[in-house]
C-alpha cells in the first residue's frame, strides 16, 4: 500500500511531465512556423515571432512571398536606381573611335546596355556602374548619341562623325568615244546624267553620242537606245536629263529637240510633251506644249498623283507634266508664266514670284521639299511644296567656301543634287570640280575633288580629281556615282 508521500511524489512528476510536453509542443509549433524562409534558410531565432523580416530573400522579386502585414522596407524587393548620363568623350571622330560615357547606375550587365550614334548601333565594349565604353559604327554620320540602360532611355550630346575613308575609282569608261564593253574598255562622249532602275542597272545620258547607255552592276556597258525603236526613226539631239519610274519606264529630257520622251523597258518610245518642230514657252497638252532647252527631270509618285517636274532651263522655270492620264498636261510649277518677258533672276518667295537663273538638277528631300541646283545663281534652292514657297537652301555667292554652315558655303555653278537615304545631300559643284556634301544638320564639306583644279585622278577623296562633273547619283549605302563629264567616264565614290 502506497504511502501518502509516495503518492504526492508521483503526482508532482505527472504535473512536470505535462508541463514539459506543453513546452515542447509550443517550441515545435514556433519552429514549424518560422524555422525556415522561402529559400529554405533556417530562421536565426526560432523564438522570433517577426522572423518574416529576414525570411524574404532580397534577390527574389516575387511579390507573393512578401508579408503584406510587414512594412519594414529592409525586407522588400530592391529599388532599381535610375541611370544618369553626365559626360561623353570624345564627341568627334571617325568610325571605330572608342567613346567613354560616364554617369551612374549603369550596372555591369552589358546585355542590358545599348548605345547608338545618329540611330546606328555601336559596339558596347565594356560596362561598369559608372562607365560605358562603346565603338562608333561605320556610316553613322553626325547626330545625337542615345542610350538604353535596362529599359531607361538616355540622350547625350551630338557626335560629329568624321569620314575616315573616301575613295574614288573609275567605274566605267576609258576616254572619249563610243564603245561598248566592260569597265574602262567602254567609251562615252560627254556623259551627262544618271539614274538607277529596279535591277540596280545605271542608265547614262551619253549626250555627245545622242544615246542612252546602260551599265550593269558588274560594270558592263551597252547602248540601251538611240532611236525610237522599230518603225520609229526619231533620234535624240543632245539629251541631258533622265528619270526612271517604279515600272522602269525611262523619261528623257531631249534638250536639243525641246521635248520630253518616255521609253518603256523594251525600248519603245513615246513623245509625251513638247515638239522638235519648235521651241518656246507654251502650257498645254502634250505635243502642244513648248519648252526651251529642258534639261533635268524629277519624277514624283505619291498620294498627290504622278508627275514629272522639268527644269526648263532657258525659260528659267520649273514645269510640271501630269502623268495621271494620257493627256500629259503641261503647266508652270515655279517661276514666271509665259506671259512674263523678264524671267531670269534671283528671288525667293511664292511659286510664281520666285526667280532662277538656268535651273538644273533636282531631288526630293523628305516629304514636300524639292532641292534644285540653281546653276547661274551658284546656289541650292528649296521648293516647299506644302507652303508653296521657294527659299535659298545653301550657298551665298560664287566661289569656294567649305566646312561651314550651308548659308555660308559657296559654290561655282552647281549642276546636280542627289539625296541619300540617310538624309545626306550630294552636290556636283561643276566648276569647282568637286563633289560637295550637305549633312542633315546643314554642314557643307567637300568629300572628293581638289577645289578649282581639274584632272582625272583616282584615289583618296582629297586627292582625287574630276573635270566638270555633272550628274551625281546616290547608289546605296556608301556609294556615290558621278558623271565625270569632261573626262568622259563614270566615277564611283566609296565612303567608308
Amino acid at each position: 500500500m502506497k504511502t501518502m508521500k509516495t503518492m504526492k511524489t508521483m503526482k508532482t512528476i505527472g504535473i512536470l511531465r505535462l508541463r514539459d510536453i506543453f513546452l515542447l509542443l509550443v517550441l515545435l509549433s514556433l519552429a514549424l512556423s518560422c524555422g525556415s524562409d522561402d529559400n529554405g534558410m533556417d530562421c536565426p531565432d526560432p523564438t522570433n515571432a517577426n522572423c518574416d523580416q529576414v525570411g524574404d530573400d532580397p534577390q527574389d522579386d516575387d511579390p507573393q512571398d512578401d508579408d503584406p502585414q510587414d512594412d519594414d522596407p529592409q525586407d522588400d524587393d530592391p529599388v532599381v536606381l535610375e541611370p544618369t548620363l553626365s559626360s561623353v568623350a570624345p564627341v568627334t571622330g571617325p568610325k571605330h573611335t572608342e567613346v567613354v560615357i560616364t554617369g551612374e547606375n549603369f550596372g555591369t550587365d552589358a546585355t542590358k546596355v545599348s548605345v547608338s550614334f545618329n540611330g546606328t548601333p555601336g559596339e558596347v565594349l565594356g560596362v561598369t556602374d559608372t562607365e560605358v565604353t562603346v565603338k562608333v559604327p561605320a556610316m553613322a554620320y553626325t547626330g545625337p548619341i542615345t542610350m538604353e540602360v535596362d529599359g531607361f532611355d538616355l540622350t547625350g550630346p551630338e557626335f560629329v562623325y568624321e569620314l575616315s575613308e573616301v575613295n574614288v575609282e573609275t567605274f566605267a569608261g576609258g576616254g572619249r568615244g563610243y564603245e561598248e564593253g566592260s569597265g574602262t574598255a567602254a567609251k562615252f562622249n560627254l556623259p551627262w546624267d544618271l539614274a538607277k532602275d529596279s535591277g540596280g542597272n545605271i542608265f547614262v545620258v551619253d549626250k555627245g553620242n545622242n544615246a542612252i547607255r546602260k551599265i550593269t552592276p558588274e560594270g558592263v556597258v551597252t547602248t540601251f537606245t538611240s532611236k525610237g525603236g522599230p518603225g520609229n526613226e526619231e533620234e535624240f539631239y543632245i539629251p541631258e536629263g533622265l528619270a526612271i519610274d517604279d515600272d522602269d519606264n525611262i523619261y528623257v529630257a531631249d534638250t536639243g529637240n525641246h521635248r520630253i520622251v518616255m521609253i518603256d523597258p523594251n525600248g519603245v518610245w513615246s513623245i509625251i510633251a513638247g515638239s522638235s518642230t519648235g521651241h518656246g514657252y507654251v502650257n498645254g497638252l502634250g505635243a502642244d506644249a513648248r519648252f526651251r532647252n529642258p534639261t533635268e527631270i524629277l519624277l514624283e509618285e505619291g498620294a498627290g498623283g504622278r508627275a514629272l517636274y522639268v527644269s526648263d532651263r532657258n525659260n528659267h522655270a520649273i514645269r510640271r507634266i501630269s502623268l495621271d492620264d494620257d493627256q500629259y498636261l503641261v503647266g508652270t510649277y515655279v517661276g514666271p508664266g509665259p506671259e512674263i518677258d523678264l524671267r531670269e533672276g534671283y528671288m525667293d518667295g511664292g511659286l510664281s514670284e520666285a526667280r532662277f537663273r538656268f535651273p538644273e538638277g533636282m531631288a526630293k528631300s523628305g516629304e514636300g521639299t524639292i532641292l534644285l541646283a540653281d546653276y547661274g545663281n551658284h546656289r541650292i534652292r528649296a521648293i516647299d511644296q506644302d507652303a508653296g514657297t521657294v527659299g535659298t537652301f545653301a550657298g551665298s555667292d560664287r566661289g569656294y567656301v567649305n566646312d561651314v554652315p550651308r548659308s555660308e558655303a559657296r559654290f561655282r555653278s552647281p549642276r546636280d543634287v542627289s539625296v541619300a537615304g540617310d538624309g545626306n545631300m550630294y552636290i556636283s559643284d561643276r566648276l569647282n570640280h568637286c563633289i560637295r556634301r550637305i549633312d542633315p544638320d546643314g554642314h557643307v564639306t567637300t568629300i572628293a575633288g581638289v577645289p578649282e583644279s581639274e584632272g582625272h585622278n583616282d584615289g583618296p577623296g582629297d586627292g582625287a580629281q574630276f573635270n566638270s562633273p555633272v550628274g551625281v547619283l546616290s547608289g546605296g549605302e556608301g556609294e556615290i556615282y558621278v558623271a565625270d563629264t569632261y573626262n568622259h567616264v563614270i566615277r564611283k565614290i566609296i565612303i567608308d
Side-chain angles (χ1 to χ4, degrees):
M1 185 172 187
K2 297 179 181 177
T3 65
M4 289 293 294
K5 184 176 182 180
T6 301
M7 292 178 65
K8 287 181 179 180
T9 301
M10 293 178 65
K11 184 177 181 180
T12 301
I13 293 172
I15 292 172
L16 289 174
R17 286 177 179 175
L18 289 173
R19 186 180 299 168
D20 291 341
I21 292 171
F22 176 78
L23 290 174
L24 181 61
L25 290 173
V26 170
L27 290 174
L28 181 60
S29 176
L30 289 172
L32 289 173
S33 64
C34 71
S36 62
D37 65 9
D38 293 332
N39 293 292
M41 300 294 291
D42 290 338
C43 181
D45 184 0
T47 64
N48 179 7
N50 294 320
C51 131
D52 61 290
Q53 294 181 7
V54 294
D56 186 27
D57 183 358
Q59 302 301 319
D60 178 11
D61 60 358
D62 185 355
Q64 295 181 357
D65 67 346
D66 293 336
D67 184 354
Q69 303 300 320
D70 176 20
D71 60 358
D72 187 348
Q74 294 181 357
D75 68 338
D76 291 337
D77 292 332
V79 176
V80 178
L81 298 176
E82 183 172 349
T84 59
L85 188 157
S86 57
S87 66
V88 176
V91 291
T92 183
K95 67 173 183 177
H96 299 162
T97 298
E98 292 190 8
V99 173
V100 177
I101 301 171
T102 59
E104 293 182 345
N105 305 319
F106 294 148
T108 58
D109 188 348
T111 64
K112 295 183 177 180
V113 178
S114 63
V115 182
S116 294
F117 295 79
N118 195 29
T120 303
E123 180 185 354
V124 176
L125 302 176
V127 176
T128 70
D129 199 49
T130 58
E131 281 190 358
V132 173
T133 303
V134 60
K135 184 185 291 185
V136 176
M139 308 298 294
Y141 300 119
T142 298
I145 298 172
T146 55
M147 292 183 69
E148 183 177 334
V149 181
D150 198 14
F152 290 95
D153 294 323
L154 304 172
T155 300
E158 179 181 85
F159 186 86
V160 178
Y161 185 88
E162 297 175 353
L163 295 176
S164 57
E165 296 178 18
V166 176
N167 281 289
V168 180
E169 61 183 42
T170 299
F171 180 62
R176 188 170 190 169
Y178 192 5
E179 298 286 344
E180 298 188 347
S182 182
T184 56
K187 290 187 178 182
F188 300 90
N189 185 0
L190 300 176
W192 207 260
D193 198 15
L194 307 168
K196 195 174 187 180
D197 73 0
S198 62
N201 301 293
I202 294 175
F203 288 80
V204 182
V205 175
D206 195 359
K207 179 177 176 177
N209 284 320
N210 296 310
I212 306 300
R213 313 289 292 279
K214 175 183 175 181
I215 311 176
T216 68
E218 295 74 31
V220 178
V221 180
T222 57
T223 296
F224 179 68
T225 184
S226 60
K227 292 186 177 182
N232 184 349
E233 295 305 314
E234 292 277 358
E235 296 183 355
F236 293 119
Y237 181 53
I238 55 173
E240 293 189 5
L242 194 65
I244 299 180
D245 68 17
D246 291 340
D247 296 322
D248 288 338
N249 296 302
I250 298 175
Y251 301 88
V252 181
D254 191 7
T255 306
N257 281 321
H258 312 286
R259 64 188 182 182
I260 307 301
V261 176
M262 183 179 77
I263 310 168
D264 73 15
N266 297 315
V268 178
W269 284 33
S270 299
I271 298 170
I272 64 173
S275 173
S276 60
T277 61
H279 60 77
Y281 195 163
V282 178
N283 289 325
L285 296 177
D288 293 333
R290 291 292 182 268
F291 299 88
R292 185 174 279 113
N293 300 116
T295 179
E296 286 289 339
I297 302 175
L298 172 67
L299 173 71
E300 183 173 64
E301 297 180 288
R306 299 176 68 246
L308 298 178
Y309 296 91
V310 180
S311 290
D312 194 1
R313 180 172 59 203
N314 286 7
N315 279 322
H316 310 285
I318 306 302
R319 313 286 290 280
R320 183 183 187 275
I321 306 174
S322 172
L323 299 179
D324 288 334
D325 52 37
D326 295 331
Q327 300 298 306
Y328 302 115
L329 179 63
V330 179
T332 299
Y333 185 62
V334 187
E339 67 280 0
I340 305 297
D341 291 331
L342 184 60
R343 305 185 185 105
E344 179 183 353
Y346 171 59
M347 183 182 296
D348 290 334
L351 297 182
S352 61
E353 300 165 352
R355 296 291 185 270
F356 306 107
R357 184 174 285 117
F358 306 110
E360 296 280 359
M362 295 175 287
K364 282 298 290 286
S365 177
E367 294 292 330
T369 301
I370 296 174
L371 297 178
L372 167 72
D374 192 358
Y375 184 85
N377 283 318
H378 314 287
R379 291 168 170 86
I380 306 301
R381 310 289 289 281
I383 303 170
D384 187 329
Q385 295 176 283
D386 296 328
T389 58
V390 177
T392 298
F393 182 78
S396 56
D397 203 349
R398 177 176 177 168
Y400 180 81
V401 177
N402 190 49
D403 201 13
V404 292
R406 55 187 168 90
S407 61
E408 300 174 19
R410 290 193 178 188
F411 303 92
R412 193 174 173 211
S413 301
R415 181 57 181 72
D416 200 10
V417 185
S418 183
V419 179
D422 57 13
N424 284 284
M425 302 155 225
Y426 297 94
I427 316 293
S428 57
D429 193 359
R430 181 178 177 183
L431 296 186
N432 276 322
H433 310 288
C434 292
I435 304 302
R436 315 287 291 276
R437 176 186 136 193
I438 307 176
D439 68 24
D441 294 317
H443 196 76
V444 179
T445 54
T446 295
I447 65 164
V450 179
E452 302 174 308
S453 175
E454 64 189 61
H456 183 188
N457 186 45
D458 289 339
D462 58 1
Q465 287 183 298
F466 301 86
N467 190 351
S468 297
V470 173
V472 61
L473 170 68
S474 174
E477 187 173 298
E479 293 182 351
I480 309 297
Y481 294 89
V482 179
D484 191 2
T485 302
Y486 281 85
N487 280 323
H488 310 285
V489 297
I490 309 302
R491 310 289 288 279
K492 182 179 181 180
I493 303 174
I494 302 170
I495 304 174
D496 190 4

